[in-house]
Amino acid sequence: MALEELYKEVILDHYKSPRNKRALPGAELSCKKNNPLCGDEITIHAHLSDGRLAGIAFEGQGCSISQASASMLTEAVAGKSLQEAEGLADRFRGMMEGKVEPEEESFGDLVALRGVVKYPVRIKCAVLAWDVLQEALAGAGRAAEASH
Ligand code: ZN
């Protein structure tokens, strides 16, 4: 199977069977954004424990790329510290700008989205979930500063 076909399969699998797609009652972090160009909508919920993303889930609707990216994100950042999640978000953005070579270990299925780089109008779809995550993380940072 050509690599590009394999990537498509992985994206479709996440779209059809999204991981961690549910509400997360009592989540400390919740953030929602949309991509009006495509009609995508994503909400990310996360539980924080000791500065880590102890639980993470998403809700949303939209195209296969936006929803698959959100599903992959929840798998990639679960259990990570806020800094690690922030770092992965930066590297993911770098990959979508064609500047960063993804490492399989931290990217996991996210590697499949690199095929989207060739379709500039879809890059926003792939990055939407990460915009939501980074806004949620920024909120967590401010809350932590306020409590110290
Ligand atoms: Zn989209």
Side-chain angles (χ1 to χ4, degrees), residues 75-136:
E75 288 196 317
V77 303
K80 293 233 182 326
S81 72
L82 302 187
Q83 286 88 342
E84 286 165 346
E86 188 71 46
L88 185 60
D90 284 340
R91 291 203 300 284
F92 179 76
R93 268 177 214 287
M95 178 179 83
M96 297 314 293
E97 290 166 6
K99 291 179 191 157
V100 169
E101 268 304 303
E103 343 84 62
E104 200 83 39
E105 197 183 321
S106 58
F107 272 64
D109 286 350
L110 287 164
V111 170
L113 290 166
R114 70 189 306 188
V116 176
V117 172
K118 279 186 281 179
Y119 308 98
V121 290
R122 312 309 299 279
I123 291 176
K124 274 196 161 50
C125 302
V127 172
L128 176 64
W130 298 85
D131 286 341
V132 181
L133 177 71
Q134 284 186 301
E135 190 164 314

Side-chain angles (χ1 to χ4, degrees), residues 35 38 40 63 66 122 125:
N35 168 18
C38 185
D40 306 322
C63 69
S66 67
R122 312 309 299 279
C125 302

Side-chain angles (χ1 to χ4, degrees), residues 42-93:
I42 289 173
T43 306
I44 287 180
H45 309 289
H47 277 307
L48 282 182
S49 174
D50 288 337
R52 290 188 174 268
L53 297 165
I56 183 157
F58 83 100
E59 295 180 280
Q61 53 187 25
C63 69
S64 56
I65 292 171
S66 67
Q67 303 303 304
S69 181
S71 171
M72 292 169 185
L73 176 153
T74 61
E75 288 196 317
V77 303
K80 293 233 182 326
S81 72
L82 302 187
Q83 286 88 342
E84 286 165 346
E86 188 71 46
L88 185 60
D90 284 340
R91 291 203 300 284
F92 179 76
R93 268 177 214 287

